[in-house]
């Protein structure tokens, strides 16, 4: 896990925030909520993959 992951998550957050504001100002609150939810799911998927790699590394480290 490096600094590029932090930048990737931050970029996703900025893009989602901008899209959210644009959709809310155009009167599409439902689509804004779905965009926010999709961004959250993408970030959680990235984090779950990294946590899985961490557990696999710990498992190999202790030969479990």
């Amino acid at each position: 896990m490096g600094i590029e992951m932090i930048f990737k998550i931050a970029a996703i957050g900025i893009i989602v925030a901008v899209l959210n504001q644009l959709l809310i100002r155009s009167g599409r609150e439902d689509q804004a909520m779905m965009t926010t939810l999709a961004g959250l799911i993408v970030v959680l998927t990235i984090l779950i993959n990294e946590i899985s790699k961490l557990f696999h590394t710990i498992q190999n480290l202790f030969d479990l």
Side-chain angles (χ1 to χ4, degrees):
M1 187 163 128
I3 192 79
E4 64 271 357
M5 175 154 323
I6 294 171
F7 286 142
K8 187 186 296 186
I9 291 172
I12 292 170
I14 291 169
I15 291 169
V16 167
V18 168
L19 285 174
N20 190 12
Q21 288 300 316
L22 287 173
L23 288 169
I24 286 175
R25 291 187 190 267
S26 67
R28 298 178 177 175
E29 288 83 12
D30 293 338
Q31 290 177 353
M33 179 63 75
M34 295 304 282
T35 303
T36 305
L37 204 57
L40 180 65
I41 290 170
V42 168
V43 170
L44 286 177
T45 303
I46 292 170
L47 290 177
I48 287 172
N49 287 335
E50 289 300 314
I51 290 172
S52 173
K53 288 178 189 176
L54 174 66
F55 284 152
H56 185 68
T57 302
I58 292 172
Q59 188 177 19
N60 287 339
L61 180 66
F62 292 113
D63 292 326
L64 297 176

Short mmCIF file of all heavy atoms in Angstrom, two decimals:
data_model
loop_
_atom_site.label_atom_id
_atom_site.label_comp_id
_atom_site.label_asym_id
_atom_site.label_seq_id
_atom_site.Cartn_x
_atom_site.Cartn_y
_atom_site.Cartn_z
N MET A 1 0.85 -1.17 0.00
CA MET A 1 0.00 0.00 0.00
C MET A 1 0.90 1.23 0.00
O MET A 1 1.70 1.43 0.89
CB MET A 1 -0.89 -0.02 1.24
CG MET A 1 -1.91 1.06 1.25
SD MET A 1 -3.18 0.68 2.43
CE MET A 1 -3.19 2.17 3.36
N GLY A 2 0.74 2.04 -0.99
CA GLY A 2 1.60 3.20 -1.11
C GLY A 2 0.81 4.49 -1.18
O GLY A 2 -0.41 4.53 -1.02
N ILE A 3 1.56 5.52 -1.45
CA ILE A 3 0.96 6.85 -1.52
C ILE A 3 0.02 6.96 -2.72
O ILE A 3 -0.94 7.74 -2.69
CB ILE A 3 2.07 7.92 -1.55
CG1 ILE A 3 1.50 9.32 -1.32
CG2 ILE A 3 2.82 7.89 -2.85
CD1 ILE A 3 1.21 9.61 0.10
N GLU A 4 0.27 6.16 -3.77
CA GLU A 4 -0.60 6.23 -4.94
C GLU A 4 -2.02 5.80 -4.62
O GLU A 4 -2.97 6.30 -5.24
CB GLU A 4 -0.03 5.41 -6.11
CG GLU A 4 0.06 3.93 -5.88
CD GLU A 4 1.36 3.49 -5.25
OE1 GLU A 4 2.25 4.32 -5.03
OE2 GLU A 4 1.49 2.29 -4.96
N MET A 5 -2.20 4.89 -3.65
CA MET A 5 -3.54 4.48 -3.26
C MET A 5 -4.28 5.63 -2.58
O MET A 5 -5.48 5.83 -2.82
CB MET A 5 -3.51 3.29 -2.33
CG MET A 5 -4.88 2.96 -1.83
SD MET A 5 -5.18 1.31 -1.36
CE MET A 5 -4.27 0.39 -2.49
N ILE A 6 -3.58 6.38 -1.76
CA ILE A 6 -4.19 7.52 -1.09
C ILE A 6 -4.62 8.56 -2.13
O ILE A 6 -5.73 9.11 -2.05
CB ILE A 6 -3.22 8.13 -0.06
CG1 ILE A 6 -2.98 7.12 1.06
CG2 ILE A 6 -3.76 9.43 0.50
CD1 ILE A 6 -1.89 7.50 2.02
N PHE A 7 -3.76 8.79 -3.12
CA PHE A 7 -4.12 9.73 -4.19
C PHE A 7 -5.29 9.23 -5.01
O PHE A 7 -6.15 10.00 -5.43
CB PHE A 7 -2.92 10.00 -5.09
CG PHE A 7 -1.87 10.88 -4.46
CD1 PHE A 7 -0.53 10.63 -4.69
CD2 PHE A 7 -2.22 11.95 -3.65
CE1 PHE A 7 0.44 11.43 -4.12
CE2 PHE A 7 -1.27 12.76 -3.08
CZ PHE A 7 0.07 12.50 -3.32
N LYS A 8 -5.34 7.91 -5.26
CA LYS A 8 -6.44 7.34 -6.03
C LYS A 8 -7.76 7.51 -5.30
O LYS A 8 -8.77 7.92 -5.88
CB LYS A 8 -6.17 5.86 -6.29
CG LYS A 8 -7.16 5.20 -7.21
CD LYS A 8 -6.94 3.70 -7.33
CE LYS A 8 -5.62 3.37 -7.94
NZ LYS A 8 -5.46 1.91 -8.17
N ILE A 9 -7.77 7.23 -4.00
CA ILE A 9 -8.99 7.37 -3.21
C ILE A 9 -9.39 8.85 -3.11
O ILE A 9 -10.58 9.18 -3.21
CB ILE A 9 -8.79 6.73 -1.82
CG1 ILE A 9 -8.69 5.21 -1.97
CG2 ILE A 9 -9.94 7.09 -0.88
CD1 ILE A 9 -8.31 4.48 -0.71
N ALA A 10 -8.41 9.73 -2.96
CA ALA A 10 -8.72 11.16 -2.91
C ALA A 10 -9.29 11.65 -4.24
O ALA A 10 -10.24 12.44 -4.25
CB ALA A 10 -7.46 11.95 -2.56
N ALA A 11 -8.74 11.16 -5.34
CA ALA A 11 -9.25 11.56 -6.66
C ALA A 11 -10.68 11.09 -6.86
O ALA A 11 -11.53 11.84 -7.37
CB ALA A 11 -8.36 10.99 -7.76
N ILE A 12 -10.97 9.88 -6.43
CA ILE A 12 -12.34 9.37 -6.52
C ILE A 12 -13.27 10.24 -5.68
O ILE A 12 -14.37 10.59 -6.11
CB ILE A 12 -12.41 7.89 -6.09
CG1 ILE A 12 -11.68 7.02 -7.11
CG2 ILE A 12 -13.86 7.43 -5.94
CD1 ILE A 12 -11.49 5.58 -6.66
N GLY A 13 -12.83 10.60 -4.50
CA GLY A 13 -13.64 11.45 -3.62
C GLY A 13 -13.91 12.82 -4.23
O GLY A 13 -15.04 13.33 -4.16
N ILE A 14 -12.91 13.41 -4.84
CA ILE A 14 -13.09 14.73 -5.45
C ILE A 14 -14.04 14.64 -6.64
O ILE A 14 -14.95 15.47 -6.79
CB ILE A 14 -11.72 15.31 -5.88
CG1 ILE A 14 -10.91 15.66 -4.63
CG2 ILE A 14 -11.90 16.53 -6.77
CD1 ILE A 14 -9.46 15.99 -4.92
N ILE A 15 -13.86 13.63 -7.48
CA ILE A 15 -14.74 13.46 -8.64
C ILE A 15 -16.18 13.24 -8.20
O ILE A 15 -17.12 13.84 -8.75
CB ILE A 15 -14.24 12.31 -9.53
CG1 ILE A 15 -12.93 12.70 -10.20
CG2 ILE A 15 -15.28 11.93 -10.57
CD1 ILE A 15 -12.21 11.56 -10.88
N VAL A 16 -16.38 12.40 -7.21
CA VAL A 16 -17.73 12.12 -6.72
C VAL A 16 -18.35 13.38 -6.11
O VAL A 16 -19.53 13.67 -6.33
CB VAL A 16 -17.73 10.95 -5.72
CG1 VAL A 16 -19.04 10.85 -4.96
CG2 VAL A 16 -17.44 9.65 -6.43
N ALA A 17 -17.57 14.15 -5.37
CA ALA A 17 -18.09 15.38 -4.77
C ALA A 17 -18.52 16.39 -5.83
O ALA A 17 -19.58 17.01 -5.71
CB ALA A 17 -17.04 15.99 -3.85
N VAL A 18 -17.71 16.54 -6.87
CA VAL A 18 -18.06 17.48 -7.94
C VAL A 18 -19.32 17.02 -8.67
O VAL A 18 -20.24 17.80 -8.92
CB VAL A 18 -16.87 17.65 -8.92
CG1 VAL A 18 -17.29 18.38 -10.18
CG2 VAL A 18 -15.72 18.38 -8.24
N LEU A 19 -19.36 15.72 -9.03
CA LEU A 19 -20.56 15.19 -9.69
C LEU A 19 -21.79 15.34 -8.81
O LEU A 19 -22.88 15.67 -9.31
CB LEU A 19 -20.35 13.73 -10.06
CG LEU A 19 -19.45 13.45 -11.25
CD1 LEU A 19 -19.22 11.95 -11.39
CD2 LEU A 19 -20.04 14.02 -12.52
N ASN A 20 -21.62 15.10 -7.53
CA ASN A 20 -22.74 15.21 -6.60
C ASN A 20 -23.29 16.64 -6.59
O ASN A 20 -24.50 16.84 -6.68
CB ASN A 20 -22.27 14.80 -5.20
CG ASN A 20 -23.43 14.65 -4.23
OD1 ASN A 20 -24.57 14.63 -4.62
ND2 ASN A 20 -23.10 14.55 -2.96
N GLN A 21 -22.41 17.63 -6.52
CA GLN A 21 -22.85 19.02 -6.51
C GLN A 21 -23.51 19.42 -7.82
O GLN A 21 -24.53 20.13 -7.82
CB GLN A 21 -21.67 19.95 -6.21
CG GLN A 21 -21.20 19.88 -4.79
CD GLN A 21 -22.28 20.26 -3.81
OE1 GLN A 21 -22.99 21.24 -4.01
NE2 GLN A 21 -22.42 19.48 -2.74
N LEU A 22 -22.94 18.97 -8.93
CA LEU A 22 -23.54 19.28 -10.24
C LEU A 22 -24.93 18.69 -10.36
O LEU A 22 -25.87 19.33 -10.85
CB LEU A 22 -22.65 18.75 -11.37
CG LEU A 22 -21.37 19.52 -11.62
CD1 LEU A 22 -20.53 18.78 -12.66
CD2 LEU A 22 -21.67 20.93 -12.09
N LEU A 23 -25.09 17.44 -9.93
CA LEU A 23 -26.40 16.79 -10.04
C LEU A 23 -27.42 17.41 -9.09
O LEU A 23 -28.59 17.56 -9.45
CB LEU A 23 -26.25 15.28 -9.78
CG LEU A 23 -25.56 14.50 -10.89
CD1 LEU A 23 -25.24 13.10 -10.42
CD2 LEU A 23 -26.41 14.47 -12.14
N ILE A 24 -27.00 17.79 -7.90
CA ILE A 24 -27.93 18.41 -6.96
C ILE A 24 -28.39 19.76 -7.49
O ILE A 24 -29.58 20.10 -7.44
CB ILE A 24 -27.29 18.54 -5.56
CG1 ILE A 24 -27.23 17.18 -4.89
CG2 ILE A 24 -28.07 19.52 -4.70
CD1 ILE A 24 -26.51 17.17 -3.56
N ARG A 25 -27.47 20.55 -8.05
CA ARG A 25 -27.84 21.88 -8.57
C ARG A 25 -28.73 21.79 -9.81
O ARG A 25 -29.47 22.72 -10.10
CB ARG A 25 -26.60 22.70 -8.88
CG ARG A 25 -25.87 23.08 -7.62
CD ARG A 25 -24.74 24.04 -7.92
NE ARG A 25 -23.92 24.22 -6.74
CZ ARG A 25 -24.09 25.18 -5.86
NH1 ARG A 25 -25.07 26.03 -6.00
NH2 ARG A 25 -23.28 25.29 -4.82
N SER A 26 -28.65 20.66 -10.51
CA SER A 26 -29.52 20.50 -11.68
C SER A 26 -30.85 19.84 -11.32
O SER A 26 -31.66 19.56 -12.20
CB SER A 26 -28.81 19.70 -12.77
OG SER A 26 -28.60 18.37 -12.36
N GLY A 27 -31.06 19.57 -10.03
CA GLY A 27 -32.33 19.03 -9.57
C GLY A 27 -32.45 17.53 -9.66
O GLY A 27 -33.54 16.99 -9.65
N ARG A 28 -31.34 16.83 -9.74
CA ARG A 28 -31.36 15.37 -9.84
C ARG A 28 -30.78 14.76 -8.57
O ARG A 28 -29.72 14.14 -8.58
CB ARG A 28 -30.57 14.92 -11.05
CG ARG A 28 -31.15 15.45 -12.34
CD ARG A 28 -30.32 15.02 -13.50
NE ARG A 28 -30.93 15.47 -14.74
CZ ARG A 28 -30.36 15.32 -15.91
NH1 ARG A 28 -29.19 14.74 -16.00
NH2 ARG A 28 -30.97 15.76 -16.99
N GLU A 29 -31.49 14.92 -7.48
CA GLU A 29 -31.01 14.46 -6.19
C GLU A 29 -30.86 12.94 -6.13
O GLU A 29 -29.96 12.42 -5.48
CB GLU A 29 -31.93 14.93 -5.06
CG GLU A 29 -31.86 16.41 -4.76
CD GLU A 29 -32.72 17.25 -5.67
OE1 GLU A 29 -33.54 16.67 -6.41
OE2 GLU A 29 -32.54 18.48 -5.69
N ASP A 30 -31.77 12.22 -6.79
CA ASP A 30 -31.69 10.76 -6.78
C ASP A 30 -30.42 10.26 -7.47
O ASP A 30 -29.74 9.36 -6.96
CB ASP A 30 -32.92 10.16 -7.49
CG ASP A 30 -34.20 10.41 -6.73
OD1 ASP A 30 -34.13 10.67 -5.51
OD2 ASP A 30 -35.28 10.35 -7.36
N GLN A 31 -30.09 10.86 -8.60
CA GLN A 31 -28.88 10.47 -9.31
C GLN A 31 -27.63 10.88 -8.53
O GLN A 31 -26.61 10.19 -8.58
CB GLN A 31 -28.86 11.06 -10.71
CG GLN A 31 -29.89 10.44 -11.62
CD GLN A 31 -29.92 11.09 -12.99
OE1 GLN A 31 -29.26 12.10 -13.21
NE2 GLN A 31 -30.69 10.51 -13.89
N ALA A 32 -27.71 11.98 -7.81
CA ALA A 32 -26.59 12.42 -6.97
C ALA A 32 -26.33 11.40 -5.87
O ALA A 32 -25.17 11.06 -5.59
CB ALA A 32 -26.86 13.79 -6.39
N MET A 33 -27.40 10.90 -5.27
CA MET A 33 -27.26 9.89 -4.22
C MET A 33 -26.66 8.60 -4.78
O MET A 33 -25.80 7.98 -4.16
CB MET A 33 -28.61 9.61 -3.57
CG MET A 33 -28.56 8.56 -2.49
SD MET A 33 -27.53 9.01 -1.10
CE MET A 33 -28.59 10.17 -0.30
N MET A 34 -27.10 8.21 -5.97
CA MET A 34 -26.58 6.99 -6.59
C MET A 34 -25.10 7.15 -6.96
O MET A 34 -24.32 6.20 -6.83
CB MET A 34 -27.40 6.63 -7.83
CG MET A 34 -28.84 6.25 -7.51
SD MET A 34 -28.97 4.91 -6.34
CE MET A 34 -28.62 3.55 -7.40
N THR A 35 -24.71 8.34 -7.38
CA THR A 35 -23.31 8.60 -7.70
C THR A 35 -22.45 8.51 -6.45
O THR A 35 -21.37 7.91 -6.46
CB THR A 35 -23.15 10.00 -8.33
OG1 THR A 35 -23.98 10.06 -9.48
CG2 THR A 35 -21.72 10.28 -8.71
N THR A 36 -22.94 9.08 -5.37
CA THR A 36 -22.22 9.00 -4.10
C THR A 36 -22.09 7.56 -3.63
O THR A 36 -21.03 7.12 -3.18
CB THR A 36 -22.93 9.84 -3.03
OG1 THR A 36 -23.08 11.17 -3.51
CG2 THR A 36 -22.17 9.84 -1.73
N LEU A 37 -23.16 6.81 -3.76
CA LEU A 37 -23.15 5.40 -3.37
C LEU A 37 -22.18 4.60 -4.23
O LEU A 37 -21.45 3.75 -3.71
CB LEU A 37 -24.57 4.84 -3.48
CG LEU A 37 -24.92 3.65 -2.64
CD1 LEU A 37 -24.68 3.93 -1.18
CD2 LEU A 37 -26.36 3.27 -2.88
N ALA A 38 -22.15 4.87 -5.51
CA ALA A 38 -21.23 4.17 -6.41
C ALA A 38 -19.78 4.48 -6.06
O ALA A 38 -18.92 3.59 -6.06
CB ALA A 38 -21.52 4.55 -7.86
N GLY A 39 -19.49 5.74 -5.75
CA GLY A 39 -18.14 6.11 -5.34
C GLY A 39 -17.73 5.42 -4.06
O GLY A 39 -16.59 4.95 -3.92
N LEU A 40 -18.65 5.32 -3.13
CA LEU A 40 -18.37 4.62 -1.87
C LEU A 40 -18.08 3.15 -2.11
O LEU A 40 -17.15 2.59 -1.53
CB LEU A 40 -19.55 4.79 -0.91
CG LEU A 40 -19.43 4.12 0.44
CD1 LEU A 40 -18.30 4.74 1.24
CD2 LEU A 40 -20.74 4.20 1.19
N ILE A 41 -18.85 2.53 -2.98
CA ILE A 41 -18.64 1.11 -3.29
C ILE A 41 -17.29 0.89 -3.95
O ILE A 41 -16.58 -0.08 -3.64
CB ILE A 41 -19.80 0.58 -4.15
CG1 ILE A 41 -21.07 0.50 -3.32
CG2 ILE A 41 -19.47 -0.78 -4.75
CD1 ILE A 41 -22.33 0.22 -4.12
N VAL A 42 -16.89 1.79 -4.85
CA VAL A 42 -15.59 1.66 -5.51
C VAL A 42 -14.46 1.76 -4.49
O VAL A 42 -13.52 0.95 -4.49
CB VAL A 42 -15.45 2.73 -6.62
CG1 VAL A 42 -14.01 2.80 -7.12
CG2 VAL A 42 -16.39 2.42 -7.76
N VAL A 43 -14.54 2.74 -3.60
CA VAL A 43 -13.49 2.91 -2.59
C VAL A 43 -13.46 1.72 -1.63
O VAL A 43 -12.38 1.23 -1.29
CB VAL A 43 -13.69 4.24 -1.83
CG1 VAL A 43 -12.78 4.32 -0.62
CG2 VAL A 43 -13.44 5.41 -2.76
N LEU A 44 -14.62 1.23 -1.23
CA LEU A 44 -14.64 0.07 -0.34
C LEU A 44 -14.07 -1.16 -1.02
O LEU A 44 -13.39 -1.98 -0.38
CB LEU A 44 -16.06 -0.19 0.16
CG LEU A 44 -16.59 0.79 1.19
CD1 LEU A 44 -18.04 0.46 1.54
CD2 LEU A 44 -15.73 0.76 2.44
N THR A 45 -14.31 -1.31 -2.31
CA THR A 45 -13.75 -2.44 -3.05
C THR A 45 -12.23 -2.37 -3.08
O THR A 45 -11.54 -3.38 -2.88
CB THR A 45 -14.30 -2.47 -4.49
OG1 THR A 45 -15.71 -2.52 -4.45
CG2 THR A 45 -13.76 -3.66 -5.26
N ILE A 46 -11.70 -1.17 -3.30
CA ILE A 46 -10.24 -1.00 -3.28
C ILE A 46 -9.69 -1.35 -1.90
O ILE A 46 -8.68 -2.06 -1.78
CB ILE A 46 -9.88 0.45 -3.67
CG1 ILE A 46 -10.22 0.71 -5.12
CG2 ILE A 46 -8.41 0.73 -3.41
CD1 ILE A 46 -10.11 2.17 -5.52
N LEU A 47 -10.34 -0.87 -0.86
CA LEU A 47 -9.86 -1.14 0.50
C LEU A 47 -9.97 -2.61 0.87
O LEU A 47 -9.08 -3.16 1.53
CB LEU A 47 -10.63 -0.28 1.51
CG LEU A 47 -10.32 1.21 1.46
CD1 LEU A 47 -11.18 1.96 2.46
CD2 LEU A 47 -8.85 1.46 1.74
N ILE A 48 -11.03 -3.27 0.45
CA ILE A 48 -11.19 -4.70 0.75
C ILE A 48 -10.10 -5.51 0.08
O ILE A 48 -9.55 -6.44 0.68
CB ILE A 48 -12.60 -5.18 0.34
CG1 ILE A 48 -13.63 -4.64 1.31
CG2 ILE A 48 -12.67 -6.70 0.28
CD1 ILE A 48 -15.06 -4.88 0.91
N ASN A 49 -9.75 -5.15 -1.16
CA ASN A 49 -8.66 -5.85 -1.84
C ASN A 49 -7.34 -5.68 -1.09
O ASN A 49 -6.56 -6.63 -0.95
CB ASN A 49 -8.52 -5.36 -3.28
CG ASN A 49 -9.63 -5.87 -4.16
OD1 ASN A 49 -10.23 -6.91 -3.88
ND2 ASN A 49 -9.90 -5.15 -5.23
N GLU A 50 -7.07 -4.48 -0.61
CA GLU A 50 -5.83 -4.23 0.12
C GLU A 50 -5.82 -4.95 1.47
O GLU A 50 -4.78 -5.47 1.89
CB GLU A 50 -5.61 -2.74 0.31
CG GLU A 50 -5.26 -2.02 -0.96
CD GLU A 50 -4.00 -2.55 -1.60
OE1 GLU A 50 -2.99 -2.75 -0.89
OE2 GLU A 50 -4.02 -2.77 -2.83
N ILE A 51 -6.94 -4.99 2.15
CA ILE A 51 -7.02 -5.71 3.43
C ILE A 51 -6.83 -7.20 3.20
O ILE A 51 -6.17 -7.89 3.99
CB ILE A 51 -8.36 -5.40 4.14
CG1 ILE A 51 -8.36 -3.96 4.62
CG2 ILE A 51 -8.59 -6.35 5.31
CD1 ILE A 51 -9.68 -3.47 5.15
N SER A 52 -7.37 -7.71 2.10
CA SER A 52 -7.18 -9.12 1.76
C SER A 52 -5.70 -9.42 1.52
O SER A 52 -5.19 -10.45 1.98
CB SER A 52 -7.99 -9.46 0.51
OG SER A 52 -7.70 -10.76 0.07
N LYS A 53 -5.01 -8.52 0.82
CA LYS A 53 -3.57 -8.70 0.60
C LYS A 53 -2.82 -8.68 1.93
O LYS A 53 -1.88 -9.46 2.13
CB LYS A 53 -3.04 -7.62 -0.32
CG LYS A 53 -3.46 -7.76 -1.75
CD LYS A 53 -2.91 -6.60 -2.57
CE LYS A 53 -3.49 -6.58 -3.97
NZ LYS A 53 -3.04 -5.40 -4.74
N LEU A 54 -3.23 -7.81 2.84
CA LEU A 54 -2.59 -7.73 4.15
C LEU A 54 -2.75 -9.03 4.92
O LEU A 54 -1.79 -9.56 5.48
CB LEU A 54 -3.17 -6.56 4.95
CG LEU A 54 -2.71 -6.45 6.40
CD1 LEU A 54 -1.23 -6.12 6.45
CD2 LEU A 54 -3.54 -5.40 7.13
N PHE A 55 -3.98 -9.57 4.95
CA PHE A 55 -4.21 -10.83 5.65
C PHE A 55 -3.43 -11.96 5.02
O PHE A 55 -2.90 -12.83 5.72
CB PHE A 55 -5.69 -11.16 5.70
CG PHE A 55 -6.48 -10.34 6.70
CD1 PHE A 55 -7.81 -10.09 6.49
CD2 PHE A 55 -5.89 -9.83 7.83
CE1 PHE A 55 -8.55 -9.35 7.39
CE2 PHE A 55 -6.59 -9.08 8.74
CZ PHE A 55 -7.92 -8.84 8.52
N HIS A 56 -3.32 -11.97 3.70
CA HIS A 56 -2.56 -13.02 3.03
C HIS A 56 -1.08 -12.91 3.38
O HIS A 56 -0.42 -13.93 3.62
CB HIS A 56 -2.77 -12.92 1.52
CG HIS A 56 -2.13 -14.02 0.75
ND1 HIS A 56 -2.57 -15.33 0.85
CD2 HIS A 56 -1.08 -14.03 -0.09
CE1 HIS A 56 -1.81 -16.08 0.08
NE2 HIS A 56 -0.89 -15.31 -0.50
N THR A 57 -0.56 -11.69 3.45
CA THR A 57 0.84 -11.49 3.83
C THR A 57 1.09 -11.93 5.26
O THR A 57 2.10 -12.60 5.54
CB THR A 57 1.21 -10.00 3.67
OG1 THR A 57 0.97 -9.60 2.31
CG2 THR A 57 2.67 -9.76 4.02
N ILE A 58 0.18 -11.61 6.16
CA ILE A 58 0.33 -12.04 7.56
C ILE A 58 0.26 -13.56 7.66
O ILE A 58 1.02 -14.18 8.40
CB ILE A 58 -0.73 -11.37 8.44
CG1 ILE A 58 -0.45 -9.87 8.55
CG2 ILE A 58 -0.80 -12.01 9.83
CD1 ILE A 58 -1.52 -9.09 9.24
N GLN A 59 -0.65 -14.16 6.89
CA GLN A 59 -0.76 -15.61 6.89
C GLN A 59 0.52 -16.26 6.40
O GLN A 59 0.99 -17.25 6.98
CB GLN A 59 -1.93 -16.02 6.01
CG GLN A 59 -2.28 -17.48 6.08
CD GLN A 59 -3.51 -17.81 5.24
OE1 GLN A 59 -3.87 -17.05 4.34
NE2 GLN A 59 -4.11 -18.93 5.52
N ASN A 60 1.12 -15.73 5.36
CA ASN A 60 2.38 -16.28 4.87
C ASN A 60 3.53 -16.02 5.83
O ASN A 60 4.43 -16.86 5.95
CB ASN A 60 2.72 -15.68 3.49
CG ASN A 60 1.85 -16.23 2.41
OD1 ASN A 60 1.26 -17.29 2.54
ND2 ASN A 60 1.74 -15.49 1.32
N LEU A 61 3.49 -14.89 6.52
CA LEU A 61 4.55 -14.55 7.46
C LEU A 61 4.61 -15.54 8.62
O LEU A 61 5.68 -15.98 9.03
CB LEU A 61 4.35 -13.13 7.99
CG LEU A 61 5.37 -12.60 8.98
CD1 LEU A 61 6.73 -12.45 8.30
CD2 LEU A 61 4.90 -11.28 9.54
N PHE A 62 3.46 -15.93 9.13
CA PHE A 62 3.41 -16.84 10.27
C PHE A 62 3.17 -18.27 9.86
O PHE A 62 2.94 -19.13 10.71
CB PHE A 62 2.32 -16.38 11.25
CG PHE A 62 2.67 -15.08 11.92
CD1 PHE A 62 1.91 -13.94 11.65
CD2 PHE A 62 3.72 -14.99 12.81
CE1 PHE A 62 2.22 -12.74 12.26
CE2 PHE A 62 4.04 -13.79 13.42
CZ PHE A 62 3.29 -12.66 13.15
N ASP A 63 3.18 -18.57 8.57
CA ASP A 63 2.98 -19.92 8.04
C ASP A 63 1.72 -20.57 8.58
O ASP A 63 1.70 -21.71 9.04
CB ASP A 63 4.18 -20.81 8.35
CG ASP A 63 5.41 -20.38 7.59
OD1 ASP A 63 5.25 -19.92 6.45
OD2 ASP A 63 6.52 -20.51 8.14
N LEU A 64 0.60 -19.87 8.49
CA LEU A 64 -0.68 -20.40 8.97
C LEU A 64 -1.41 -21.11 7.88
O LEU A 64 -1.46 -20.81 6.77
CB LEU A 64 -1.52 -19.27 9.53
CG LEU A 64 -0.94 -18.55 10.75
CD1 LEU A 64 -1.83 -17.38 11.14
CD2 LEU A 64 -0.82 -19.49 11.91
#
